[in-house]
Amino acid sequence: MSTPDFFRCRLAQMIDLKHPLAVLATRLPWAAIETAVAPKLARSARPAKPVIGQDLAGAFEGEWGGGISPAGRPRLPVRLMVSLLYLKHSFNLSDEEVVERWAENVQWQFFSGMDYYEPRLPCDATQIGRFRRLLGEYGLEQLLKATIDIAVDIKAVKPADLERVIVDSTVQSKAIAHPVDSRLLEIARHKVVAAAKRAGIALKQTNAQEGKTLRRKAGGYAHAKQFKRLRKTVKRQRTILGVVMREVQRKLEADRAAVAAGGAPVHQPHDPKALSDLALWLERAERIRTQQRNSKNKLYALHAPEVECISKGKARNPYEFGVKVSLAITHKQGLMVGARSFPGNPYDGHVLSAQLEQTTNLLQDTGRSPKQVIVDLGYRGVDADNPGVQIIHRGKYKSLSEQEKKLLKRRQAIEPLIGHTKADHRMDRCWLQGALGDALHALSCAAGYNIRWLLRAITRLGLKGLFDAFSAVLAYLLSLLHVVLMRPMALGRRDGSTRNAAHGFGLSMSVAVG
């Protein structure tokens, strides 16, 4: 029987097991995480297809292909993929960077559950994105919940501290270019022309050269602040976009009329999805063409229609384009106990109940729930929507007790945490697609922040334990020295100077130990 790993050294013998990441790897509830996300990763059953055929016995009917298919490559270990998600947002890395660094870092491989060093990529970078979509919002909430449970388990957070939280909102920017009318109009024209070509529609004129020229002129006029010429150029771009759209719509209507009359359509699409894609781009292009400065529900990016323009009142950045994200942290330690995205740019106070609901669900295994919430003035007037929860903000300052006023002074502690989450854990820019991508990204960033928080907590608790052990050893040695110096008295020696010196030294040692 061959033993290929006989001459290989285990990772546990290669690394420092007191390293915070190694300690965290042994304390995280990996089995509970796998059990929680297992339903999301189960293979779905496919419906059977009806089959009609004929054999020597005559015609027959049956079903084919139903149930769960065993075909396909086996899934990678759940712990490996979960650890890659943790490490990605803990150390601010892309999917490609995290798999490359995993192949070089023995601590990361031990954290992922590997027994031996593997000098290879753990998986293709695209598999991380597919695994994240399979988990969904519920699965990533379980990953965030595991970080909270382990913080309570290692006594980095007291369960009573989870009842007092700070809630605030921020903007998670989307990966889009700054929306400019001339650029959006040119992209819309290009998308409509490309979609019409895939649908088999030949246009008389695509205005490609003129569109490129107008886009360049618009940029020059805007830079030179020649706004009259800029408005004229943008108007011409709207005109040629309308010309292209109307020609496409006329030919689509002719095809529908031919089909209704019992004939065949003139234009044959090259792809079954071509017509639906063309309808999608026509609808978005029409929104781009008709929207004005004061229009509601404007479109800021053709590939991300869910993006909202959110004003946060910042002098350096008056408007941000993305989705509103609400964060909840513990009041004392700053552990993140909630992160949720809210499309549509709702009022801050209207999302507080939903945020507290998520936080309560994440804390259910600890037996605690938020009782006090410290917020800013954007959350005032929602006490009736959150029964059983005390909402503290400076709008109630005159009616607050001295203890509550002290708690309110720490409300701004969430601001630097938001900055760290954006700068160090990738919340500053979301590259994931759609509203679901915004929700997954917010939860992943919160989980990554908690992992780094746990690493610092383990270091802090380890140093405290080391100091306590050193103090205990020192006290034991001093007590032994005190016994040795006091022993001549027990033997009956009556030398007054020795007795007085020993008594004085013993007293000083007792004071030092105390």
Side-chain angles (χ1 to χ4, degrees), residues 241-479:
L241 175 59
V243 169
V244 172
M245 291 175 59
R246 285 190 292 272
E247 183 180 356
V248 173
Q249 289 168 349
R250 284 196 302 269
K251 294 186 175 181
L252 286 175
E253 291 174 359
D255 287 345
R256 295 192 194 101
V259 173
V266 179
H267 309 93
Q268 296 293 335
H270 303 303
D271 186 9
K273 295 179 58 180
L275 291 177
S276 61
D277 291 343
L278 178 58
L280 174 67
W281 292 118
L282 283 174
E283 186 270 333
R284 294 183 184 179
E286 181 63 19
R287 288 178 60 184
I288 292 290
R289 191 183 70 86
T290 56
Q291 68 186 15
Q292 299 296 326
R293 182 173 185 176
N294 298 323
S295 300
K296 300 295 183 181
N297 300 321
K298 289 193 286 188
L299 188 63
Y300 299 100
L302 282 135
H303 71 280
E306 71 279 358
V307 169
E308 299 285 342
C309 179
I310 303 175
S311 174
K312 297 293 287 184
K314 301 175 183 176
R316 68 182 185 276
N317 194 11
Y319 301 99
E320 295 180 87
F321 301 93
V323 66
K324 178 172 288 188
V325 171
S326 175
L327 300 176
I329 67 169
T330 56
H331 179 268
K332 187 175 181 180
Q333 293 88 358
L335 178 69
M336 196 167 292
V337 292
R340 190 169 182 177
S341 63
F342 294 95
N345 190 18
Y347 172 64
D348 283 354
H350 295 164
V351 304
L352 181 59
S353 59
Q355 178 59 73
L356 293 179
E357 179 185 2
Q358 183 201 44
T359 302
T360 303
N361 293 335
L362 295 178
L363 299 179
Q364 60 183 352
D365 285 353
T366 64
R368 306 284 178 158
S369 62
K371 302 298 183 184
Q372 285 183 322
V373 183
I374 294 90
V375 293
D376 58 17
L377 288 180
Y379 294 86
R380 57 186 168 185
V382 294
D383 296 74
D385 299 336
N386 301 275
V389 178
Q390 182 186 11
I391 302 176
I392 302 175
H393 54 75
R394 61 185 178 90
K396 303 179 180 179
Y397 194 79
K398 293 183 179 179
S399 62
L400 297 179
S401 64
E402 293 299 324
Q403 178 65 22
E404 292 169 349
K405 289 179 181 179
K406 290 182 180 179
L407 297 177
L408 185 59
K409 289 182 178 180
R410 188 169 164 76
R411 189 218 66 84
Q412 62 268 25
I414 196 173
E415 302 296 343
L417 186 149
I418 292 174
H420 283 296
T421 308
K422 288 190 172 185
D424 303 332
H425 304 286
R426 303 184 70 79
M427 191 179 277
D428 59 333
R429 199 167 180 84
C430 176
W431 296 84
L432 306 185
Q433 185 180 16
L436 176 62
D438 293 330
L440 300 183
H441 193 256
L443 287 166
S444 300
C445 295
Y449 171 85
N450 278 359
I451 290 293
R452 291 291 292 272
W453 188 95
L454 288 169
L455 296 179
R456 293 191 296 269
I458 290 172
T459 302
R460 183 178 68 252
L461 295 174
L463 292 178
K464 180 181 177 182
L466 182 63
F467 178 76
D468 292 343
F470 176 76
S471 300
V473 171
L474 181 61
Y476 177 71
L477 293 177
L478 292 176
S479 64

Side-chain angles (χ1 to χ4, degrees), residues 33-259:
I33 294 175
E34 294 181 9
T35 303
V37 303
K40 293 291 183 179
L41 304 177
R43 295 180 180 269
S44 58
R46 297 181 180 180
K49 298 180 180 179
V51 177
I52 300 176
Q54 188 170 4
D55 58 10
L56 296 178
F60 68 91
E61 295 183 1
E63 293 182 347
W64 175 81
I68 299 176
S69 173
R73 186 176 62 178
R75 296 190 187 277
L76 292 172
V78 176
R79 177 173 176 177
L80 171 63
M81 302 305 297
V82 168
S83 64
L84 290 176
L85 285 179
Y86 276 145
L87 295 169
K88 168 185 167 65
H89 288 274
S90 300
F91 298 96
N92 194 9
L93 301 173
S94 65
D95 292 344
E96 291 78 9
E97 291 171 337
V98 72
V99 295
E100 291 174 0
R101 283 189 58 179
W102 186 93
E104 304 168 355
N105 197 316
V106 290
Q107 291 284 359
W108 286 16
Q109 295 193 15
F110 181 79
F111 181 74
S112 302
M114 297 290 109
D115 291 329
Y116 300 95
Y117 173 66
E118 299 288 345
R120 57 173 178 80
L121 298 182
C123 63
D124 189 79
T126 58
Q127 291 181 270
I128 298 178
R130 289 195 290 271
F131 180 76
R132 181 171 48 229
R133 286 193 298 272
L134 282 175
L135 290 184
E137 192 170 357
Y138 171 80
L140 288 178
E141 282 183 350
Q142 296 304 310
L143 303 191
L144 179 59
K145 179 177 177 296
T147 61
I148 301 172
D149 294 341
I150 191 61
V152 176
D153 184 54
I154 65 175
K155 299 181 180 180
V157 173
K158 296 180 180 178
D161 295 336
L162 301 175
E163 296 182 350
R164 185 180 296 121
V165 298
I166 305 174
V167 177
D168 199 5
S169 64
T170 186
V171 179
Q172 180 178 260
S173 300
K174 198 75 170 181
I176 66 169
H178 188 80
V180 181
D181 287 343
S182 61
R183 182 178 178 274
L184 288 174
L185 290 167
E186 172 58 19
I187 292 177
R189 184 204 61 79
H190 174 75
K191 293 289 187 182
V192 170
V193 170
K197 183 178 180 181
R198 289 193 298 272
I201 298 177
L203 301 176
K204 294 180 180 179
Q205 190 174 3
T206 61
N207 300 98
Q209 187 61 39
E210 184 181 5
K212 182 178 179 180
T213 303
L214 290 173
R215 177 71 187 94
R216 180 184 58 80
K217 286 184 177 181
Y221 293 150
H223 180 72
K225 298 184 179 181
Q226 299 177 2
F227 299 115
K228 186 176 181 179
R229 291 179 176 177
L230 175 61
R231 286 193 295 268
K232 184 178 179 181
T233 303
V234 173
K235 182 179 179 181
R236 176 57 185 168
Q237 286 183 299
R238 281 199 174 90
T239 300
I240 64 174
L241 175 59
V243 169
V244 172
M245 291 175 59
R246 285 190 292 272
E247 183 180 356
V248 173
Q249 289 168 349
R250 284 196 302 269
K251 294 186 175 181
L252 286 175
E253 291 174 359
D255 287 345
R256 295 192 194 101
V259 173

